[in-house]
Amino acid sequence: MTDNKVKVGITQGDINGISYEIIIKTLKDNRLLDFCIPVLYGSPKVLAYHRKAIDVENFSLISIAEAHEAKPKKACIINCHDDNIRVELGKATTYAGEAAYQAMEIAVKDLIDRQIDVLVTAPIDKHTIQQKDFQFPGHTEYLQSRLEIKDTLMMMVGPDVRVGVVTGHIPLSEVAQTLSVDLILRKLRIMNESLKNDFNIQKPRLAVLGLNPHAGDHGLLGKEETDIIEPAVKQATDEGMIVIGPFAADGLFGSGSFSKFDGIMAMYHDQGLAPFKALSFDQGVNYTAGLPVVRTSPVHGTAYEIAGLGKANPDSFRQALYLACDI
């Protein structure tokens, strides 16, 4: 860290979406510079285009060639592209996907080389970014590969709730066959350690959701709870973790009982993210637990439909930056 301030690498994400708008709206508050040094990996030309599109005056970033040149009290930008880069607002293009990948590759290298302290990733289009060097469902899997880490946990963090998912970006039809006692246990260990080390919760209380309606109803609606989830909960308890479940997802969230726990482990993506986003969409943050580095992102996507209109809410991105610095 420079002068005790966290050097925050920010990837530009998809240049045709709302990424630059939420970045501009966040960084134009100079109070951020009291505790961090933002370094945007992107393009000054694209920044100027979006600033004009959303009619923001008196905003600029200091251009630097490399992250180590960043200084306190200045928000900076590293140009990752040539001057021919072009923006097509609201369109999903392979060109924008390539630009997102280029910026991310440079930022992640700097993160690995400790040129930046933490990484905040703006939204990408998971389809257009696919190419020879990026064949992953998203940022999480890409970082896991680059850092050669076997296991990570996608954990959604809000003001009042934290939700992890055992299976992330996979088809729903593959969830049941992917679940195992070992997989659930590994994810619980990551969540438990992250809550202790990253969030300073000494004895985390974890709730585990069932897979089936009513958590299987004693085997009537499915066997995964009795055959897989309950044994994983027991083993986690035997290891000294405070883990309770499996709970029926609708009951836990609908009754408000989720608030009694420090972390909730869902079995699949939408089971955890749908209630989380209903509760914390504007303030929520996607945190990749289990990495040797800190990476956060907003919980929303590229939002092509409002790109360039000045309507994007920067709160989730702002919270992602705050959380990265806090951790």
Side-chain angles (χ1 to χ4, degrees), residues 153-228:
L153 176 70
M154 182 167 71
M155 187 156 68
M156 313 304 285
V157 180
D160 303 308
V161 62
R162 302 177 193 89
V163 178
V165 291
V166 176
T167 60
H169 296 121
I170 67 171
L172 186 58
S173 60
E174 297 177 11
V175 170
Q177 67 199 49
T178 302
L179 290 177
S180 67
V181 174
D182 178 63
L183 179 61
I184 295 171
L185 194 57
R186 295 198 321 256
K187 299 297 184 180
L188 285 170
R189 288 172 183 148
I190 295 173
M191 177 176 271
N192 191 61
E193 287 304 306
S194 179
L195 291 173
K196 288 195 291 186
N197 297 329
D198 302 332
F199 295 88
N200 201 29
I201 299 169
Q202 297 308 308
K203 293 183 178 180
R205 288 172 49 85
L206 308 183
V208 176
L209 302 182
L211 173 67
N212 299 294
H214 304 174
D217 224 348
H218 304 289
L220 182 66
L221 302 177
K223 302 292 186 184
E224 286 81 9
E225 283 75 15
T226 55
D227 294 349
I228 300 172

Side-chain angles (χ1 to χ4, degrees), residues 77-89:
I77 184 168
I78 294 175
N79 190 6
C80 302
H81 313 288
D82 61 39
D83 286 337
N84 294 322
I85 190 167
R86 62 187 182 278
V87 178
E88 297 178 82
L89 285 176

Side-chain angles (χ1 to χ4, degrees), residues 61-116:
L61 301 179
I62 305 299
S63 288
I64 57 175
E66 296 182 355
H68 68 81
E69 299 173 16
K71 297 292 190 293
K73 294 294 183 181
K74 303 290 183 183
C76 306
I77 184 168
I78 294 175
N79 190 6
C80 302
H81 313 288
D82 61 39
D83 286 337
N84 294 322
I85 190 167
R86 62 187 182 278
V87 178
E88 297 178 82
L89 285 176
K91 293 184 179 180
T93 68
T94 54
Y95 183 85
E98 173 66 23
Y101 170 72
Q102 289 171 353
M104 180 167 38
E105 181 74 4
I106 296 169
V108 171
K109 182 180 185 303
D110 280 357
L111 184 67
I112 293 171
D113 293 343
R114 300 186 181 278
Q115 296 300 306
I116 53 177

